[in-house]
Amino acid sequence: MKIGISAFAWTSCLERKHLDLLPWIKSLGIDGVEVPMFEPDALPIKKIRDAFEAHDLECTVCAILPKTVNPISPHQEQRRRAIEHLIRCVEASAAMGSKVLGGPLFAPIGYLPEHRPTKDEWSWAVEAFQSLESTLDKTDMTLSIEPVNRSETFFLRTAADTKQLCESIGNPRIGVTIDTFHANIEEQSIPKAILSLGSHLKHVHASENDRGPLGYGHVPFGDIVLSLKEIGYDGYLMIEGFGYSPKEKSAPGKLWAYTDVSPEDLTKGGVRFLKALM
């Protein structure tokens, strides 16, 4: 297994200035950095690739769909535009040097129609992800779909739901991300959920129940690591927590992260914690 840090610790909008952190990140023994992606065109793609290659760091990408991009919309034109957006996300990720694109790519965060998932919505999701096959093959990309908790989606909340979708899609390049923050809410047992996924598990977000420093909450990381070893998982444990960085206007933790935990503190502590477990 490899250890990474999500740039969400600092910002939701990676800029040129954040690339100056890469030498320090590399010095901690970190293998890769995850880039948040909302609009592919907003990222300095070539600068990101050049900087990551210069510092021998791998890149992964976590995409969040804009509110207007919805692969399971009841409107056909919106679904068509969503597929175009997903293709652009795959291509942009590949251009940055990434081999893994993850996130809740099935619908925008906060899309909560007042019904359970319908057969039509399921079919639309399958169709959208199947339409990416040639692009994923061309770019040698893995797509990792992330279930999120019930306050953020009605569609995919659990490992079992997401595994079923992947089986319906039928593409070995498409699998599941487990985010331990969301799984702590939705799974009866995170280790058992991991075991149930087996080879469908492509990516892991290591996150405490409060998105704070690893090891200070109640997520059972020891048992999680044992389950990952049991299924032979060799991907990333990507630390995804939020530090307090008041100068960062787009910092996810600006409003509610612990004010005495900087992004750097969160990173160093997370690396020490995971290395000790592994």
Side-chain angles (χ1 to χ4, degrees):
M1 285 180 277
K2 298 177 285 188
I3 294 177
I5 179 69
S6 168
F8 268 133
W10 288 269
T11 182
S12 59
C13 183
L14 194 71
E15 301 176 39
R16 173 64 185 84
K17 64 180 181 180
H18 299 112
L19 299 177
D20 293 339
L21 292 163
L22 296 185
W24 174 79
I25 289 172
K26 179 68 176 180
S27 74
L28 299 178
I30 288 175
D31 301 295
V33 177
E34 188 146 284
V35 176
M37 177 189 287
F38 291 82
E39 286 286 356
D41 296 340
L43 291 168
I45 290 175
K46 186 177 187 305
K47 289 181 179 179
I48 290 172
R49 181 170 190 142
D50 290 346
F52 276 59
E53 288 180 349
H55 297 291
D56 192 26
L57 283 164
E58 291 184 342
C59 173
T60 68
V61 178
C62 180
I64 308 295
L65 300 183
K67 297 296 184 185
T68 56
V69 175
N70 189 351
I72 58 171
S73 167
H75 304 290
Q76 184 176 9
E77 179 61 20
Q78 289 188 22
R79 298 197 301 273
R80 185 191 66 78
R81 291 200 303 268
I83 292 172
E84 291 177 350
H85 179 87
L86 290 172
I87 290 172
R88 285 170 47 227
C89 286
V90 173
E91 292 174 341
S93 299
M96 285 186 279
S98 176
K99 293 299 180 185
V100 176
L101 166 63
L105 300 167
F106 46 85
I109 292 293
Y111 178 61
L112 295 164
E114 295 182 358
H115 60 253
R116 289 178 179 268
T118 66
K119 290 182 179 179
D120 282 341
E121 288 165 335
W122 191 266
S123 296
W124 294 332
V126 171
E127 178 184 355
F129 290 117
Q130 286 180 337
S131 71
L132 304 179
E133 181 174 359
S134 63
T135 306
L136 293 172
D137 287 343
K138 180 178 65 176
T139 56
D140 191 24
M141 185 71 69
T142 293
L143 195 75
S144 193
I145 303 170
E146 179 183 343
V148 294
N149 74 78
R150 64 192 66 191
S151 68
E152 300 185 17
T153 192
F154 77 111
F155 192 69
L156 294 179
R157 298 183 295 106
T158 66
D161 292 340
T162 316
K163 179 182 177 181
Q164 185 179 356
L165 180 68
C166 290
E167 289 175 343
S168 297
I169 296 165
N171 185 340
R173 289 190 180 274
I174 298 179
V176 182
T177 292
I178 285 289
D179 183 312
T180 58
F181 169 82
H182 296 293
N184 176 67
I185 297 170
E186 297 296 344
E187 303 290 353
Q188 293 180 333
S189 166
I190 302 175
K192 287 181 180 179
I194 288 168
L195 293 175
S196 74
L197 286 172
S199 62
H200 287 287
L201 183 64
K202 305 298 186 184
H203 198 54
V204 175
H205 285 163
S207 183
E208 262 304 353
N209 57 283
D210 61 353
R211 293 289 198 195
L214 299 187
Y216 287 82
H218 60 245
V219 173
F221 284 107
D223 291 337
I224 287 169
V225 168
L226 290 175
S227 293
L228 292 170
K229 289 182 177 180
E230 186 169 339
I231 65 171
Y233 177 75
D234 60 0
Y236 268 99
L237 283 171
M238 187 64 63
I239 301 166
E240 191 181 67
F242 305 148
Y244 183 66
S245 185
K247 294 181 180 180
E248 288 279 357
K249 293 181 179 179
S250 63
K254 183 177 180 180
L255 296 178
W256 37 264
Y258 298 109
T259 57
D260 60 346
V261 178
S262 70
E264 291 77 16
D265 293 334
L266 185 131
T267 304
K268 289 186 291 185
V271 172
R272 284 196 302 267
F273 178 75
L274 291 179
K275 284 189 173 182
L277 288 180
M278 292 164 62

